[in-house]
Amino acid sequence: MNNFDYLKSELESVLGWLGEDGGLPKDLDASRVTFELPREASHGDVATNAAMVLSKQVGMAPRDLAQILLTEFEAHDAVRSAEIAGPGFINMRLTDAFWQARLAEVLAAGETYGHSGVGGGATVNVEYVSANPTGPLHAAHGRGAVVGDVLASLLAATGHKVTREYYVNDAGAQVDVLGRSAYLRYLEALGEDIGEIPEGLYPGAYLKDVGQALAAEHGESLKAMDQSEWLPVTKNTAIDMMMAEVREDLTALGIEMDVFSSERAIVAEGKVEAALAVLEAGGHIYQGVLEPPKGKTPDDWEPREQTLFRATAFGDDVDRPLKKSDGSYTYFASDIAYHYDKFTRGSDTLIDVLGADHGGYVKRMQAAVTAVTDGKGRLDIKICQLVKLMKAGVPIKMSKRAGTFVTLRDVIDQVGRDVVRFIMLTRKNDATLDFDLEKVTEESRDNPVWYVQYANARTHSVIRQAAEAMPDLETSDAALGKVDLSPLTDPAEIELIRVLAGWPGMVAGAALAHEPHRLAYYLNDVAGAFHGLWNKGKESPELRFIREDEAVLTTARLALVRATSLVIAAGLGIFGVRAREELR
RNA sequence: GCGCCCGUAGCUCAGCUGGAUAGAGCAGCGGACUUCUAAUCCGCAGGUCGCAGGUUCGAGUCCUGCCGGGCGCACCA
C-alpha cells in the first residue's frame, strides 16, 4: 500500500469537483498521475506530475493547470505548503503530524509492516535451483536459490499465493552418465583399480560415497549384470544420494521447498503426450525441416524432418524440435509438459529462476507457455548471471578437474548462511556478482551485511540503554505503540520517518517487478539514515535519543528507534536473514 | 550470421517500469570521539549516462541504427 494513494484519491475528487463547477472537462483520465517521494529533498515530501499529465486533456499549459490544482492542495490538512516547480510539478511539504501518523503505522504493524494485498491473491509458482542431480550445488546455484527463495517470500508478503518448487531432472542422458559414473565408483569400492575416470563421465570424488553405498548394499551382484540391468540401480541410488545432499544444502541455506517435481514422473504419467495434444489441438505442431543456424552450421548437420513446435508464432526466432531423431521426446518437450503441469495445478503466473547458461532458452519456453495455456499463463524467467568468487580481491579459480571446485556448502560453512543470502541480493539478477569471501566478513562500511546488522544492533542497544538509565520508562512494543509522537519534529527525525514510510511502496514495487535486490539497497539506506541520526546526537546533544530529564521526548524517540529496527527486521525477514540484536 | 544480457564518476554499482540540477559506497582531500557502541558520521572534489538519430511537455530509462564486452545458437539437459 502506498502512503500517497489517499492523496491521489483526494486529487480525483478535486478533479471531479472542478469538472462539475470549475470549468474543467469531466471524466479526466488520471491513471498516469503519480504521487511520489522525490529523490531530491528540496522538492518536498510529495511531488505530483498531475498538471503535466492532464494538461493535454484539459487544454491548458501545465503550469497554469498546476496553479489551479495547487490552490486545492494547499487547503488539504496534511499539506503544510505547496509550490509549482520546473515544468509543472507540484511539490508539497507535509505536516509533521502526517509523518508522525506514518510512524504510528509502523509500530502498529510490527514486523509485518509493508506486507500488503497488492498481489490480489494471485497464485504464483516460483521454480528455482532445479540443479541436475549429478553433483553438489556450487556457488552460482546458491545465487539462484536465494533469488528464488526471497522472491517467493516477497510475493507471499504482498498477497500472492506462492508455491516454491524444485524440478528434478532425473530423466535423460545426463543421469545415465551419472549412473555409469557411479558404477565405476562401485567397482572402485570393491577394490578394483579403475584408473582415470574416462572422458564424458563425472570425475568428481563425491561419487565415491555412492560407490561405497552400492557396494555395501549389493556386494558383488551388480558385476554379474548387463548394463541394462545395473544402470537403473546405480542411477537411482546416485540420484537419491545426490538429491539428499542437495536438500541438506538447501536446508543449510534456510530454504524449504513446497514441491519437488520429477521429470521422470512427468514423462511416466503421460503428461508429455497430454501437453503435446493440447498444442496439437491448437495447431501449433507440424512436421518440418529446420534450416541450419546461419553462420554456424554444425559439422554433422543434415536436414531432417522432425516434429516441430511453431514457436515463431509466439515471438521465438525459430521453430523448436519436440522429438529427437530416434523418436523420443526432447528435453524441451518434457519441459513444456512440466510447465503445463504447473499451470494446471493452479498457477497462472510462473516464474523460473535459471542460470546464465539458459539465456537462450527464455523465448522458446515463454512461447510454449503462451501456446499451451492459450495465452492464460504468464511465464517470467529470471536469469541469474555468474557469481565471481573472490578472496581479498583475488578471483578464485575453479576447475572441476583440478579439484579446486568451491561448492555452495563450502561458502556457507565459511561465511554463514545469513551473509550468503544477503550478498546474493546485492546485485540485480542479470548482472554478474562479485562475492569476496573475505570482504563479507569484515566489520566495516564496505560490507553491506555488517552495515545493516550494525544499525539494527544499535537500535536495540539504545533501547537497552534507555531501560537501564530510565527504569521508569515503558519500553515494550505495546507501550511504544501508544506513545505521543508529537515531540518528533526535528528535520533529521522526520527524514528518518520518511525513509521508513517508504518501505511498503518499496516492497510492493519489488514484488510486482520481481526484483528482490531492491530491498537490499533500501535496507542500506535505512541503515544510513539511522547511523546519520545517531551521530547527530554527538554534535547536537539535544538530538540524542535518550534525554534523561525528558521522558516524553525520550519515549517518542525510542518509538522512532524501535520503528527502525522493525523495518530492518521486516526486510531481513523477507530475506530470510536473522536480525542480530547484539554484535558482540 | 541471428538472438539475449551488459555499457552510468578513477573503481564497484543504484537509478523505484518516462520525471526536475543523474545518485551511493570505495579510493582521494578536509573535519567530528570526557558521548546512546567512532566497526560510525559530516563536508569537498569527481559525469559527453558507449555513439548518432527518433518518439514527447520531459529520455540513463522507450524505438531504430552503429561501436565495444559477455553468453547462447537442430537431433544435450
Side-chain angles (χ1 to χ4, degrees):
Chain A
M1 183 63 76
N2 187 315
N3 284 308
F4 305 126
D5 281 353
Y6 87 102
L7 280 175
K8 182 164 181 179
S9 62
E10 292 288 314
L11 170 84
E12 277 160 2
S13 67
V14 165
L15 290 175
W17 180 82
L18 288 171
E20 293 296 326
D21 307 313
L24 295 189
K26 292 181 185 179
D27 302 324
L28 290 171
D29 174 16
S31 59
R32 291 183 56 233
V33 173
T34 59
F35 284 80
E36 54 191 19
L37 189 70
R39 296 177 197 164
E40 184 78 28
S42 67
H43 294 151
D45 294 325
V46 192
T48 179
N49 60 357
M52 289 177 294
V53 170
L54 299 173
S55 66
K56 221 171 213 176
Q57 296 178 58
V58 176
M60 291 175 71
R63 290 190 64 107
D64 293 340
L65 178 58
Q67 191 58 52
I68 295 175
L69 298 177
L70 179 73
T71 312
E72 300 300 322
F73 278 119
E74 277 178 329
H76 197 280
D77 282 351
V79 178
R80 174 152 44 105
S81 64
E83 61 184 20
I84 300 171
F89 288 100
I90 301 174
N91 294 336
M92 288 169 274
R93 295 200 165 279
L94 302 176
T95 59
D96 289 347
F98 172 85
W99 291 115
Q100 290 153 7
R102 303 287 77 73
L103 179 56
E105 288 172 0
V106 180
L107 294 160
E111 289 194 21
T112 62
Y113 180 61
H115 291 209
S116 70
V118 290
T123 306
V124 183
N125 182 296
V126 186
E127 181 210 327
Y128 54 108
V129 194
S130 296
N132 291 337
T134 54
L137 297 179
H138 51 73
H141 288 129
R143 184 173 189 184
V146 173
V147 167
D149 199 50
V150 173
L151 180 53
S153 298
L154 186 52
L155 291 167
T158 50
H160 300 81
K161 287 193 61 184
V162 177
T163 302
R164 297 161 197 258
E165 186 150 337
Y166 187 122
Y167 187 43
V168 185
N169 295 127
D170 51 8
Q174 288 193 0
V175 285
D176 286 344
V177 172
L178 176 72
R180 298 210 310 276
S181 308
Y183 182 73
L184 267 188
R185 293 299 187 181
Y186 159 75
L187 296 180
E188 183 184 45
L190 291 177
E192 291 192 18
D193 180 11
I194 58 170
E196 284 284 299
I197 304 291
E199 195 70 32
L201 293 186
Y202 295 111
Y206 55 84
L207 286 176
K208 287 184 179 176
D209 288 347
V210 179
Q212 295 285 353
L214 286 166
E217 188 178 347
H218 300 283
E220 305 259 333
S221 64
L222 297 183
K223 288 169 72 174
M225 298 179 183
D226 289 340
Q227 174 167 324
S228 62
E229 288 175 293
W230 58 251
L231 185 57
V233 176
T234 61
K235 181 166 79 174
N236 289 342
T237 301
I239 291 173
D240 289 349
M241 289 182 69
M242 289 300 111
M243 282 309 297
E245 209 165 309
V246 165
R247 285 169 191 253
E248 274 178 36
D249 289 351
L250 293 179
T251 300
L253 247 194
I255 291 174
E256 200 173 322
M257 293 287 175
D258 297 315
V259 177
F260 283 85
S261 278
S262 153
E263 181 187 1
R264 203 190 295 173
I266 295 277
V267 174
E269 289 162 20
K271 288 180 175 171
V272 179
E273 287 82 358
L276 296 195
V278 173
L279 289 179
E280 182 78 60
H284 308 310
I285 293 180
Y286 69 101
Q287 300 294 318
V289 180
L290 286 176
E291 295 286 313
K294 288 195 173 66
K296 197 209 172 212
T297 306
D299 298 337
D300 57 347
W301 174 272
E302 50 183 274
R304 178 177 294 133
E305 185 172 274
Q306 45 193 171
T307 304
L308 298 171
F309 163 56
R310 201 180 299 280
T312 49
F314 300 91
D316 199 0
D317 309 307
V318 290
D319 293 335
R320 304 292 178 177
L322 299 169
K323 283 187 183 174
K324 303 178 199 170
S325 49
D326 65 3
S328 64
Y329 292 116
T330 60
Y331 176 78
F332 180 52
S334 60
D335 216 13
I336 293 173
Y338 173 51
H339 282 78
Y340 185 56
D341 184 56
K342 288 192 280 190
F343 175 76
T344 53
R345 274 187 272 136
S347 300
D348 35 329
T349 298
L350 307 178
I351 300 176
D352 292 355
V353 180
L354 301 177
D357 51 340
H358 288 72
Y361 200 65
V362 173
K363 277 190 183 179
R364 83 186 65 168
M365 202 60 238
Q366 285 176 329
V369 167
T370 303
V372 81
T373 66
D374 196 22
K376 296 187 194 73
R378 196 173 64 100
L379 172 66
D380 186 18
I381 299 185
K382 310 299 285 185
I383 296 291
C384 290
Q385 288 299 327
L386 301 179
V387 176
K388 230 165 50 184
L389 284 180
M390 323 258 279
K391 193 134 203 173
V394 184
I396 299 175
K397 291 241 188 258
M398 281 201 267
S399 154
K400 286 186 185 181
R401 282 272 170 200
T404 54
F405 182 77
V406 181
T407 64
L408 174 60
R409 197 50 175 275
D410 292 338
V411 177
I412 298 172
D413 288 347
Q414 224 172 112
V415 303
R417 144 196 160 181
D418 290 335
V419 168
V420 173
R421 292 187 69 111
F422 195 101
I423 292 295
M424 290 299 187
L425 294 161
T426 54
R427 290 286 176 269
K428 56 186 168 212
N429 59 279
D430 45 15
T432 59
L433 167 68
D434 290 352
F435 191 149
D436 194 313
L437 295 173
E438 231 153 76
K439 187 170 266 182
V440 300
T441 55
E442 273 174 23
E443 300 179 345
S444 78
R445 182 77 180 84
D446 294 11
N447 175 1
V449 197
W450 164 263
Y451 188 68
V452 171
Q453 291 282 22
Y454 181 41
N456 189 55
R458 262 188 165 170
T459 63
H460 287 276
S461 168
V462 169
I463 291 172
R464 282 194 301 267
Q465 294 278 350
E468 202 168 303
M470 304 167 71
D472 296 339
L473 234 49
E474 286 280 358
T475 56
S476 69
D477 280 6
L480 292 178
K482 286 183 253 169
V483 160
D484 172 16
L485 300 171
S486 62
L488 298 175
T489 56
D490 188 274
E493 293 168 339
I494 298 295
E495 175 56 29
L496 178 57
I497 299 175
R498 280 171 28 132
V499 174
L500 298 179
W503 172 243
M506 184 61 55
V507 176
L512 295 176
H514 299 168
E515 290 188 357
H517 74 278
R518 289 186 197 176
L519 304 188
Y521 286 90
Y522 173 81
L523 287 176
N524 202 60
D525 287 348
V526 171
F530 181 73
H531 286 309
L533 185 58
W534 196 95
N535 274 274
K536 274 215 161 100
K538 282 180 197 309
E539 287 149 30
S540 316
E542 69 277 7
L543 275 181
R544 295 173 56 146
F545 298 129
I546 300 172
R547 307 266 303 168
E548 294 192 26
D549 48 338
E550 298 192 53
V552 174
L553 179 59
T554 299
T555 49
R557 287 182 175 165
L558 290 182
L560 175 57
V561 170
R562 179 58 185 144
T564 304
S565 68
L566 284 170
V567 170
I568 292 175
L572 294 180
I574 289 173
F575 275 15
V577 172
R578 291 160 291 208
R580 298 177 63 185
E581 302 189 355
E582 219 174 352
L583 293 183
R584 57 178 171 191

